[in-house]
Amino acid sequence: MSRFDIAIRNGIIVDGQRNPRYRGDVGVKEGVITHMGRIAPGEADREIDATGLVVAPGFIDLHTHYDAQVFWDPYLTTSGWNGVTSVVVGNCGFGFAPCKPELRDRAMESMTKVEAIPLATLEATLPWDWETYPEMLDSIDRQPKAVNLLPYIGVNPLLIWVMGLEDAKAGRKPSDEEHAEMARLLGEAMDAGACGWSAQTLGTAGDPSQPTLGGAAQSDFDGTPMPSDVMWPETHEVLAKVLGERGDGFIELSAAGLPREHWEKIAELSGAPVIYQAMPASGVMLEMHADMMQWFDACREKGLRIYGQGITQNPPLVFTFDYWDLWGAVWDEFTGPNLDKATRLANMQDPAIREKLRAEPLKVMFIAGINEVKIVETFSPEYEKFVGQSIQEIADALGRDPVDTVLDIVVADDQRTIFSASQFDINMEGLKQLIDYPYVIPGLSDGGAHLKYLAAGSYATEYISQYVRDHPLTNLEEAHWRLSALPAFCAGFQNRGVLREGAAADIIVYDYEKLDYEFPTFRHDLPGDEYRIASAGTGYRYVLVNGQITIEDDKQTETYSGKLLRHGA
Ligand SMILES: [Zn+2]
């Protein structure tokens, strides 16, 4: 019997612990790194020549929504194609358990807008062989996986299970008995292996009639707030206490409207890391973020662990008018995905409706204007020469209003035009601010969600290739610590996120000069005859998950060595 199953020889080792890089070998036996240093030839069943390649810990993505995708895509792509070896699912308070059988359809419908996952795909793939949270974990455990998975329990299914859908949606305050039952269910989920709880609380407690901070993009399928948006801060406290009493788990919270005292109370009661959502690396948010960082520092001095979840990537949003819901209310009403194609087409040609659309402030994701949107592909000869140009440039060339310009092109293309827009207005100054600050976790991919316009699972590939190599804002040692060890620590991963003897063998071996990611492209590969965009990484010579090679030369090996990491282990 060989001393090692695999020996990765002669690579540049960046161990994720911020130690300076060195040239050496890594030996793997039965899923674990058993030796680092020098390994003589002939000691391993398989030898990988890593000469000239970087050997580093696999990336850990704390913010994903692969709760449904795990049932049809073992690689959890886009993430699995980009060096990610572990993800956390069940973010933002959303998930599919616990769920009573009569509410399954409603649970799937709820995910069609707030996370923009097509209903047909959910219907075609979710096995629904569970009612309780522990039963769902068993079902995920049975699925073949090429990526490790750590699960939160979302607050929405908890609220709905305990209070009923109507009362949860209405924002009724839970009784003491109901709070006790939620605490009991959270404890049961943690016993089964959940890593903590998550919530999106973007509205006013108890009042679903008030608009939420998330707006239309973060709403239930019918535009109303999600139950967690209108939940009571007291419920956060009850759930935080459960973690505090157990002494484990962590919390993901999206609740920018709640006062900082509330966040600190949650951190104090739970004793756990609290991940604040979200901080885009945006030029217009520099001051706001500087202020937040002062607050994080103050929390740290009190011993409270509140971390920012950064949005440190800038892949374009790529979309067509077949599915686009991020313009704002008026555009959504006349051109949104809830309308059938013929109605949208008629609306876009109606002069009265065009007038309304011209009057609406045209923003993509709150910041980029429609004039900045670019054409990626058009299908009509008259507009072909404008590919790569912005709507403003085209409008100027044609002497038309930008809104008329975009609508004319979409109508001429029968709604197939492919556009791209930048997310927020992420720029180098904003990136530098987040990358320099150690209490911000890089991300956020939202992998598995917003499938028809977002493919940000490439964020770690982008971080290394763009912000270490091409526009150096940081170095490799720091980058690998931030992309693996820091999130592993926050999420309670046991023995992952670093390369050291005794750690799980989640390892990436990549060509630093060739590391890159694809411009997001449409793929018609979703079950239920649906489509999405995705972005493959390049330069990944090997990805190992639990000591087995899952990716070789950027290709899936169809080796499903990923695990459901109950209790982080
Ligand atoms: Zn999310």
Side-chain angles (χ1 to χ4, degrees):
M1 204 163 108
S2 305
R3 188 176 165 209
F4 303 109
D5 299 330
I6 293 177
I8 302 166
R9 295 170 49 78
N10 206 33
I12 310 294
I13 296 174
V14 183
D15 67 7
Q17 303 182 76
R18 298 200 272 204
N19 290 313
R21 70 194 76 176
Y22 63 99
R23 195 155 49 81
D25 308 332
V26 179
V28 173
K29 184 77 178 174
E30 287 168 2
V32 174
I33 297 170
T34 52
H35 185 69
M36 291 177 70
R38 282 275 172 89
I39 294 173
E43 287 203 90
D45 292 340
R46 175 154 186 193
E47 306 227 348
I48 289 176
D49 178 10
T51 306
L53 304 175
V54 175
V55 181
F59 303 122
I60 293 182
D61 187 346
L62 294 192
H63 193 128
T64 81
H65 295 276
Y66 290 118
D67 306 66
Q69 194 165 324
V70 67
F71 292 103
W72 62 267
D73 175 16
Y75 275 80
L76 306 183
T77 58
T78 288
S79 300
W81 292 334
N82 282 277
V84 173
T85 52
S86 296
V87 302
V88 177
V89 299
N91 271 274
C92 300
F94 308 130
F96 298 106
C99 183
K100 292 176 177 142
E102 62 272 23
L103 286 176
R104 286 172 181 164
D105 288 341
R106 185 62 175 74
M108 292 190 283
E109 224 169 18
S110 271
M111 294 298 268
T112 57
K113 185 153 179 66
V114 73
E115 297 303 346
I117 304 172
L119 186 60
T121 303
L122 295 170
E123 287 173 342
T125 54
L126 285 178
W128 285 118
D129 50 1
W130 64 79
E131 287 186 34
T132 67
Y133 187 86
E135 287 166 359
M136 184 185 74
L137 287 194
D138 290 343
S139 185
I140 291 174
D141 223 350
R142 289 191 289 271
Q143 285 299 308
K145 291 172 283 295
V147 174
N148 299 310
L149 196 138
L150 200 69
Y152 286 117
I153 179 166
V155 163
N156 283 288
L158 265 187
L159 291 167
I160 294 167
W161 178 275
V162 172
M163 302 174 68
L165 178 66
E166 263 177 47
D167 282 16
K169 290 280 294 179
R172 176 171 68 71
K173 191 171 185 176
S175 65
D176 290 349
E177 291 72 37
E178 286 167 332
H179 269 151
E181 179 61 1
M182 287 180 211
R184 189 190 69 78
L185 287 165
L186 172 58
E188 180 185 277
M190 296 294 294
D191 286 344
C195 63
W197 58 269
S198 68
Q200 165 189 301
T201 305
L202 296 174
T204 307
D207 190 355
S209 70
Q210 294 301 311
T212 72
L213 279 175
Q218 291 297 113
S219 71
D220 207 342
F221 77 102
D222 56 0
T224 59
M226 295 295 285
S228 62
D229 282 323
V230 294
M231 73 189 283
W232 292 72
E234 286 87 337
T235 307
H236 289 160
E237 291 172 21
V238 166
L239 300 176
K241 243 185 243 170
V242 173
L243 300 192
E245 280 160 13
R246 300 177 59 91
D248 63 3
F250 75 117
I251 296 168
E252 184 255 7
L253 196 54
S254 172
L258 290 178
R260 288 179 177 176
E261 300 80 70
H262 179 70
W263 287 84
E264 292 183 29
K265 194 164 183 191
I266 295 301
E268 183 68 58
L269 286 169
S270 65
V274 180
I275 318 287
Y276 179 103
Q277 313 290 316
M279 298 169 74
S282 156
V284 301
M285 296 189 184
L286 287 170
E287 261 179 60
M288 196 178 124
H289 286 165
D291 183 59
M292 299 251 337
M293 287 167 181
Q294 273 184 11
W295 173 49
F296 292 152
D297 287 343
C299 290
R300 186 173 53 200
E301 265 156 40
K302 293 181 203 168
L304 303 176
R305 291 182 281 175
I306 302 180
Y307 290 86
Q309 174 69 64
I311 298 183
T312 53
Q313 29 66 15
N314 198 20
L317 300 164
V318 176
F319 62 95
T320 72
F321 270 54
D322 178 61
Y323 191 99
W324 182 242
D325 63 353
L326 299 181
W327 292 123
V330 178
W331 281 70
D332 215 30
E333 182 185 344
F334 295 111
T335 70
N338 287 344
L339 302 171
D340 63 66
K341 192 177 164 188
T343 309
R344 275 199 302 262
L345 200 60
N347 285 349
M348 286 190 265
Q349 296 175 88
D350 181 327
I353 290 175
R354 279 201 179 198
E355 201 172 323
K356 286 185 192 168
L357 294 174
R358 279 194 297 265
E360 164 98 335
L362 291 161
K363 295 287 184 189
V364 184
M365 290 292 276
F366 325 116
I367 288 161
I370 195 176
N371 46 334
E372 296 165 42
V373 168
K374 288 185 178 158
I375 296 206
V376 176
E377 195 172 353
T378 169
F379 300 87
S380 12
E382 60 176 313
Y383 295 114
E384 237 162 44
K385 61 174 181 274
F386 296 120
V387 167
Q389 294 190 26
S390 71
I391 296 300
Q392 188 63 56
E393 289 168 324
I394 304 166
D396 289 346
L398 296 172
R400 285 182 217 165
D401 179 271
V403 168
D404 288 313
T405 305
V406 78
L407 295 175
D408 287 346
I409 297 170
V410 171
V411 169
D413 275 343
D414 198 27
Q415 302 180 50
R416 288 183 300 156
T417 325
I418 299 174
F419 297 97
S420 75
S422 66
Q423 286 189 77
F424 305 97
D425 74 332
I426 285 166
N427 69 16
M428 282 300 171
E429 222 186 327
L431 281 160
K432 182 156 177 43
Q433 185 188 37
L434 297 192
I435 286 172
D436 282 349
Y437 185 71
Y439 265 58
V440 168
I441 299 164
L444 100 191
S445 77
D446 246 348
H450 311 291
L451 292 172
K452 291 182 175 179
Y453 50 83
L454 181 69
S458 55
Y459 76 90
T461 309
E462 176 182 343
Y463 199 93
I464 303 282
S465 65
Q466 295 294 304
Y467 314 125
V468 178
R469 185 189 64 203
D470 293 354
H471 312 277
L473 297 177
T474 184
N475 59 50
L476 265 190
E477 285 81 356
E478 193 66 27
H480 280 294
W481 175 74
R482 291 286 286 276
L483 292 165
S484 300
L486 176 66
F489 169 71
C490 289
F493 284 88
Q494 316 268 326
N495 261 330
R496 279 175 209 272
V498 293
L499 301 185
R500 69 168 170 240
E501 289 174 11
D506 293 346
I507 305 172
I508 56 176
V509 180
Y510 65 88
D511 185 329
Y512 180 69
E513 294 305 327
K514 289 191 182 142
L515 198 69
D516 205 354
Y517 53 102
E518 168 194 32
F519 187 88
T521 52
F522 283 95
R523 289 163 158 87
H524 287 261
D525 63 356
L526 291 196
D529 197 22
E530 275 286 359
Y531 67 89
R532 61 169 175 161
I533 63 166
S535 168
T538 52
Y540 290 101
R541 295 289 300 282
Y542 299 95
V543 175
L544 279 72
V545 174
N546 296 310
Q548 298 189 45
I549 298 168
T550 56
I551 296 274
E552 187 165 351
D553 288 328
D554 300 323
K555 299 272 181 325
Q556 299 183 183
T557 61
E558 307 309 329
T559 301
Y560 306 131
S561 53
K563 291 178 186 162
L564 173 68
L565 301 176
R566 296 178 193 256
H567 311 287

